[in-house]
Amino acid sequence: MGRHRTDEFDGGYRAQEPAPRRRAARGRGRVLVPLAGAVALAVLLGVAAFVIFNRDHDCSAGKLALRVVATPDIQPALNKIAGTYNKALHSMDSRCVEVTVTKEGAARTAGALAAGKAAADLWVADSSLVVGRLRSDPAGAALPEPSGSAALSPVVLVTAQSTADKLSASLQPSWAGMIAAANVANPDGPGKKVRVLALDPEKNSAGLAALLAAAGSAKKAKQDKALVGALKELSGQVVSDPGALLASLTVKSGSKVPVGIASEQSIYTHNAKKPDAQVVPLYPAEGTYNLDYPMLVLAKDPEVRKAAAAFQKELTTDSAQRTLRDQGFRTPDGKGGDVLAKGKGFVSTLPRPLAAPDVKTVASMAQTWSRLNLGSRLLTLLDVSGTMALPVPGTQLTRMQAISRIATEGLSLFPADSEIGVWAFSTHLDGQGKDWREMVSVGPLSETTDGRLRKEALATQLATVQAKATGDTGLNDTLKAAYTEMTKSYQEDKINTVLVLTDGAGNDDPDGGVGNAEILSFLKKTYNPKRPVSILLIAFGPDAPKGKKQMDALAKATGGEAYIAENILQVRDFFLQGMERRLCAPKCDG
């Protein structure tokens, strides 16, 4: 038999040897095909992911600027959040949003918006009080409503940690306590041991919120005069910057314990920066208002508005909320972070919020503060006629001495920048026919006149003035001359007043002069409600009731008021009532 090639035997032993290798080759092909498909799929998925990722982070068309303006207290936190947001490359229509956060006081931004000059796409104010007042004004009527709140911070009382225990014996934390301590007409109250500092409500929302809270407490307790006395005193204890106010609380000055007003967050910031000069919050018993950091989208461009809405949404994320809490803010739901720990003097739960005041109430308080904060320009007419030498029954004083003390008591209520002068009056006091004499010219109390401060000159004159034994009253001639002088020298930035201090006998001028009907006619004709000079009369003594009718007529002809004092200390109330009339002038009587 001949030999055969083994590859010819399909079914033989040798013919089957390569078979496993062929099967193995075919097996590798089956494995490589799915593997290649998986790789291709992974590549496709990677490309898709890349496309999807870059669709939200595509900056190929440049940047989209979003300008955020925020109040100085919250700006650092928002700036930190914006930095993280910018790094994440959030884009719209192939433009990456770039957020910048600049700081500016809410009052200043509101003024710029009213003038149409604000350069902001998104405004984060510190309080809805500011926004509501601006939107109620014709200049801000077109502004949109706030579109959410970025954070919260309660407005509280505050004192130095080192004096907190000492304060607790004199003042319980409350708005009513603040009014009592600041009331200039209550010298024997807590004000003997406590000095209250205020934040300027025209520049700081926390200051305005505190005044509104205090006013609400006073109204509820029917303490309107006490409120006026407190506001008048606070107008001379105003600090424009929260940082400066908090710093001053830890500086020893006098025997009184200083108490201020601040937001909870500003207290945290102060303590973080000044560990050796710590202050502590005092939470008012009645509750309080919160700075609520409202956000307003001001942009006109649709894309920028979308960017603003997206950044607002970012502020609600856990990361952003944590950043806000870490810098002493509470989140809009009132939750505070670890930095507002009880061990640091804070409370964990949000203090009871007071009902939000309406726009009219806010505007009224702002006007009240503005008017009470106006300077005073006062010409005092002091009766030195013969009847002033008579004794006051039940006292060891003459009427002259009593009236002088009344004048000293009343004038002590006026701050150092007030302009005050004194004329004495009685018939023929300064030569024949002239019934008045200038004792001290009208001018600032802190100004030097004749070699000494005007305040000192007034005190000396009032302490040494003597009644003219043979003199009659001569009130009408004097009042006409004084009213003419004050009208002629009227100052718009001050409350211009003629104050008459008398024993109430009315006009008594046997030589003639200006009669009662003539002086009333003159005052009604001369009085200008746009440049008001009011007359305030205070009478003391047994003859006072006899002249009350004429006194009322003289005062009301100029939008003023007339009072009869039963004791010297009562004059404080009269001066406060006179100050109250500033709030309604020139329409106090309807």
Side-chain angles (χ1 to χ4, degrees), residues 345-565:
F346 300 98
V347 296
S348 57
T349 57
L350 186 71
R352 182 169 66 88
L354 296 174
D358 56 33
V359 173
K360 185 177 180 180
T361 299
V362 176
S364 177
M365 173 50 67
Q367 183 183 55
T368 294
W369 177 263
S370 178
R371 289 192 173 187
L372 283 176
N373 207 32
L374 286 174
S376 296
R377 189 164 182 272
L378 179 74
L379 174 54
T380 300
L381 306 182
L382 188 63
D383 188 351
V384 295
S385 60
T387 56
M388 297 297 289
L390 297 175
V392 177
T395 74
Q396 295 181 342
L397 302 174
T398 64
R399 295 183 187 181
M400 187 76 261
Q401 291 171 326
I403 287 292
S404 295
R405 290 190 183 185
I406 284 175
T408 302
E409 178 75 14
L411 298 182
S412 69
L413 301 179
F414 291 85
D417 61 350
S418 300
E419 296 189 8
I420 297 177
V422 175
W423 290 4
F425 70 92
S426 181
T427 51
H428 311 300
L429 189 63
D430 191 19
Q432 185 66 27
K434 186 178 179 183
D435 296 343
W436 64 94
R437 182 182 71 245
E438 182 179 87
M439 297 170 67
V440 180
S441 62
V442 176
L445 291 175
S446 57
E447 182 180 76
T448 300
T449 177
D450 295 331
R452 55 182 173 173
L453 293 178
R454 180 172 276 101
K455 182 177 182 179
E456 295 173 355
L458 285 168
T460 299
Q461 289 287 350
L462 292 174
T464 59
V465 65
Q466 298 291 321
K468 181 183 178 182
T470 60
D472 294 306
T473 306
L475 172 62
N476 290 350
D477 283 21
T478 304
L479 190 55
K480 183 176 181 179
Y483 200 82
T484 299
E485 173 62 26
M486 290 294 283
T487 300
K488 182 180 178 181
S489 57
Y490 179 86
Q491 294 186 19
E492 292 186 356
D493 63 338
K494 294 180 174 61
I495 300 296
N496 298 259
T497 307
V498 174
L499 169 64
V500 180
L501 296 175
T502 180
D503 62 0
N507 186 65
D508 181 15
D509 191 349
D511 296 327
V514 177
N516 288 345
E518 185 180 349
I519 188 62
L520 284 175
S521 176
F522 166 78
L523 292 174
K524 291 176 181 178
K525 181 180 179 180
T526 307
Y527 176 72
N528 181 354
K530 294 182 179 180
R531 294 167 58 88
V533 176
S534 60
I535 294 176
L536 176 66
L537 293 102
I538 298 178
F540 179 79
D543 293 332
K546 300 177 184 177
K548 186 62 165 60
K549 184 176 180 180
Q550 179 66 4
M551 286 169 56
D552 286 339
L554 293 172
K556 291 187 186 266
T558 61
E561 193 65 79
Y563 306 99
I564 295 178

Side-chain angles (χ1 to χ4, degrees), residues 151-152 154 264-265 268 283 320-350:
L152 290 181
E264 189 181 60
Q265 190 275 336
Y268 159 74
Y283 294 90
Q321 295 283 284
R322 185 166 53 253
T323 297
L324 287 163
R325 289 196 298 270
D326 287 347
Q327 294 201 22
F329 293 96
R330 293 176 184 263
T331 51
D333 60 1
K335 183 179 179 181
D338 293 339
V339 299
L340 298 181
K342 184 177 180 180
K344 298 178 181 179
F346 300 98
V347 296
S348 57
T349 57
L350 186 71

Side-chain angles (χ1 to χ4, degrees), residues 75-153:
Q75 187 267 347
L78 296 186
N79 195 49
K80 184 176 181 179
I81 295 168
T84 302
Y85 187 79
N86 291 340
K87 290 178 182 178
L89 301 178
H90 295 273
S91 67
M92 293 185 178
D93 295 336
S94 300
R95 290 194 294 170
C96 274
V97 178
E98 185 170 79
V99 183
T100 58
V101 186
T102 58
K103 60 183 176 182
E104 184 174 67
R108 185 169 183 176
T109 305
L113 286 169
K117 297 180 180 179
D121 301 315
L122 176 65
W123 178 31
V124 183
D126 56 4
S127 174
S128 292
L129 297 175
V130 175
V131 175
R133 187 180 175 196
L134 177 60
R135 293 185 72 245
S136 69
D137 189 275
L143 288 176
E145 290 187 8
S147 53
S149 171
L152 290 181
S153 189

Side-chain angles (χ1 to χ4, degrees), residues 7-62:
D7 57 356
E8 293 178 353
F9 294 92
D10 294 335
Y13 174 75
R14 289 183 178 274
Q16 292 178 0
E17 284 183 349
R21 290 192 295 270
R22 289 196 294 271
R23 286 195 296 271
R26 288 195 297 272
R28 284 196 303 270
R30 285 195 297 272
V31 170
L32 288 173
V33 170
L35 181 61
V39 171
L41 178 61
V43 171
L44 289 174
L45 290 174
V47 171
F50 179 81
V51 171
I52 293 171
F53 177 83
N54 280 277
R55 184 174 61 197
D56 293 331
H57 305 270
D58 177 16
C59 302
S60 60

